[in-house]
Amino acid sequence: MYGVIPTVMIRSFSLRIYKKGMNGIALTFDDGPDPIYTPQLLDLLKKHHVKATFFVVGSKAKKYPHIIKRIDEEGHAIGLHHYHHISNWILLPFFVEWELKKTADVIEEITGKRPVLYRPPWGHFNLFTLFTQKRYKTVMWTYILGDWKASLGANRLYERLKNCRKDGAIIVLHDSGSTLGADEEAPKYMLKALERFLKENNDIRWTSADEW
């Protein structure tokens, strides 16, 4: 009642959430910043002139402020993904507020900008998050591709990416493999698949979530 049912209702009826963008395709990344993979990802995005949205974990942002600063300076959007990677299903309302505020404070301290975008870890909501998220633009996804598992591999992930070429799509990928349920080396395969996809699809109009 506290977590599962509200999540199903909010996601099914798109209550105060975005599951689809406007024009173009939005490329988004969760769970970073990562000291190894996020800089490689930024290099790749810069090479192909792609702007993306990063939903960052606050504790990692605090640990790697130089990466957050680079994300911002290179024109990408930054959103909240809790201070710790914890599901709303097990957080009381006060702690949800704390997770969001703490992360927003860290990002603002580094970039001078207060984030307004939010994606809850695992896409989980609870009875109170409809009220909490009033202050944020909550961005979910159109396509989630399972790239947190190394066993998926670069080739299979590339095939899944090819199926995401639809106007208004929001694609979620992961630039860190250090969260619960993820494989530490999974972003290595994500980067290989994404590099091939960007190289072979340079006609896509990419849009970041701050354009909505």
Side-chain angles (χ1 to χ4, degrees):
M1 288 294 293
Y2 182 73
V4 177
I5 292 176
T7 297
V8 171
M9 295 294 290
I10 290 169
R11 291 171 60 168
S12 297
F13 295 100
S14 298
L15 301 176
R16 293 184 184 151
I17 66 174
Y18 288 85
K19 294 194 295 186
K20 185 177 180 181
M22 300 294 284
N23 298 316
I25 298 174
L27 194 57
T28 71
F29 297 91
D30 288 4
D31 298 356
D34 182 275
I36 297 173
Y37 297 114
T38 307
Q40 294 179 47
L41 172 59
L42 289 170
D43 290 343
L44 179 61
L45 296 174
K46 187 174 184 179
K47 178 181 177 180
H48 292 276
H49 309 288
V50 174
K51 302 303 180 188
T53 303
F54 290 78
F55 291 94
V56 304
V57 176
S59 58
K60 294 181 181 179
K62 187 174 180 64
K63 189 174 182 180
Y64 306 111
H66 61 289
I67 301 179
I68 297 296
K69 189 172 179 65
R70 181 182 170 188
I71 292 171
D72 177 62
E73 289 177 345
E74 295 187 3
H76 304 289
I78 301 175
L80 311 175
H81 200 48
H82 286 190
Y83 191 76
H84 305 97
H85 199 280
I86 300 177
S87 169
N88 278 316
W89 291 359
I90 60 173
L91 287 175
L92 294 174
F94 170 82
F95 292 105
V96 174
E97 290 274 6
W98 184 90
E99 291 278 339
L100 292 171
K101 183 179 184 304
K102 181 71 172 176
T103 307
D105 288 345
V106 169
I107 295 170
E108 185 175 25
E109 183 178 347
I110 297 167
T111 67
K113 303 169 186 175
R114 193 77 176 175
V116 296
L117 305 175
Y118 171 49
R119 175 178 287 158
W122 294 291
H124 291 173
F125 298 88
N126 63 43
L127 276 173
F128 297 93
T129 46
L130 269 178
F131 302 99
T132 303
Q133 71 193 60
K134 281 183 179 180
R135 295 187 298 278
Y136 303 99
K137 183 183 292 185
T138 303
V139 181
M140 297 297 284
W141 53 76
T142 315
Y143 298 101
I144 186 164
L145 305 179
D147 65 306
W148 56 86
K149 286 297 182 183
S151 59
L152 180 64
N155 290 334
R156 288 172 61 199
L157 178 56
Y158 169 75
E159 293 299 323
R160 293 184 182 186
L161 279 167
K162 286 201 303 184
N163 293 326
C164 299
R165 281 204 53 158
K166 293 179 175 62
D167 197 47
I170 303 173
I171 302 170
V172 57
L173 296 168
H174 298 77
D175 57 325
S176 176
S178 64
T179 53
L180 181 65
D183 295 331
E184 191 172 347
E185 291 190 347
K188 176 173 67 175
Y189 302 101
M190 180 277 291
L191 288 168
K192 290 180 180 179
L194 183 61
E195 181 173 21
R196 181 181 172 189
F197 183 72
L198 294 179
K199 184 177 180 180
E200 296 180 6
N201 294 271
N202 55 18
D203 61 323
I204 291 177
R205 182 192 183 278
W206 296 98
T207 178
S208 60
D210 62 343
E211 295 182 47
W212 301 346

